Amino acid sequence: MSLVWVQNVEVINNGAKFTDDFQFEVTFECSAALEHDIEWKVIYVGSAESEEHDQELESIMVGPVPIGVSRFVLEAPAPNTQKIPPLEIRGVTVVLITCSYNGHEFVRIGYYVNNDYEDPELREEPPETLDIDKLQRHILATKPKVTRYHISWDEPTPSSPTGSRLSPGTNAEAGWNAQMQHGIMGATPENSLQSQEHSIPMECN
């Protein structure tokens, strides 16, 4: 049984510029006293072809964690475009939020991200040289993919996944289009955060 349960993640600044920081409001519940802090990371998938282009945008330790429900804002800078293949800056990719305890990841939350020009004319006829300052970032916040891992909370044992892992893959564009057409009005998947959301107090209990 997990001692920490992520109840909800809200994307605060959806529709921001590509160069703006990521901001997520995270709500989680702790059911027992923890010996160690919790580590949260934000990882940007730079390419569907290779993990070498992944960028760890932020890593923070949160603790001591009180028993009950807590909320905080997880903020991370925009990715470094110099580390992304030029042809993969514009288009669909993935941003990941991971949470670990004592070196063991116990939950991973993935979102599709679409980076494109806000101006319809630029989308139809993009300039030969990519204009980063005119790119808008839209996160498919209604359809996170959640992978949960079984860990021994205060013992050094490996973790094992219990859900699906989100990857951009070569069909990311088709996946994004399908999600945009059906995701908002369709049923929420069983492994999404929204399907397990509780009522949330304003601050820590």
Side-chain angles (χ1 to χ4, degrees):
M1 177 180 177
S2 180
L3 300 185
V4 176
W5 189 264
V6 180
Q7 294 183 341
N8 190 52
V9 177
E10 179 182 352
V11 180
I12 296 178
N13 60 340
N14 211 354
K17 292 183 178 180
F18 179 89
T19 53
D20 288 346
D21 289 353
F22 287 89
Q23 292 181 327
F24 304 94
E25 185 179 77
V26 180
T27 304
F28 66 96
E29 182 175 8
C30 180
S31 61
L34 299 178
E35 181 179 348
H36 304 285
D37 293 348
I38 298 175
E39 182 179 22
W40 299 82
K41 293 182 180 180
V42 179
I43 300 170
Y44 187 86
V45 178
S47 173
E49 303 299 324
S50 172
E51 292 184 2
E52 69 177 282
H53 299 291
D54 289 1
Q55 296 182 46
E56 184 178 301
L57 304 182
E58 184 59 279
S59 175
I60 63 170
M61 303 300 293
V62 175
V65 179
I67 296 175
V69 177
S70 300
R71 175 189 284 131
F72 74 101
V73 174
L74 178 59
E75 189 167 348
N80 183 348
T81 55
Q82 299 299 316
K83 299 180 180 180
I84 304 174
L87 295 179
E88 299 195 55
I89 296 174
R90 176 175 175 243
V92 179
T93 186
V94 167
V95 65
L96 302 168
I97 298 173
T98 70
C99 189
S100 301
Y101 179 74
N102 199 19
H104 301 299
E105 184 178 323
F106 63 89
V107 67
R108 172 171 293 214
I109 304 159
Y111 293 94
Y112 281 120
V113 180
N114 189 31
N115 301 307
D116 209 343
Y117 291 110
E118 185 177 6
D119 188 335
E121 293 185 3
L122 290 178
R123 289 200 298 267
E124 291 295 326
E125 297 184 13
E128 292 186 8
T129 302
L130 189 67
D131 191 339
I132 298 294
D133 292 332
K134 293 183 179 179
L135 286 182
Q136 184 181 43
R137 179 182 70 224
H138 185 81
I139 300 173
L140 192 61
T142 59
K143 291 286 184 177
K145 295 290 185 180
V146 183
T147 304
R148 304 187 191 277
Y149 300 85
H150 292 300
I151 67 170
S152 295
W153 285 84
D154 284 306
E155 297 177 11
T157 57
S159 57
S160 58
T162 62
S164 58
R165 183 186 187 279
L166 182 64
S167 171
T170 55
N171 62 342
E173 194 75 41
W176 171 270
N177 292 335
Q179 296 278 27
M180 289 300 291
Q181 292 175 15
H182 305 296
I184 296 177
M185 298 303 296
T188 305
E190 291 182 357
N191 68 338
S192 73
L193 290 175
Q194 284 82 356
S195 65
Q196 293 129 4
E197 187 173 351
H198 301 245
S199 60
I200 301 167
M202 292 299 295
E203 297 293 344
C204 300
N205 286 346

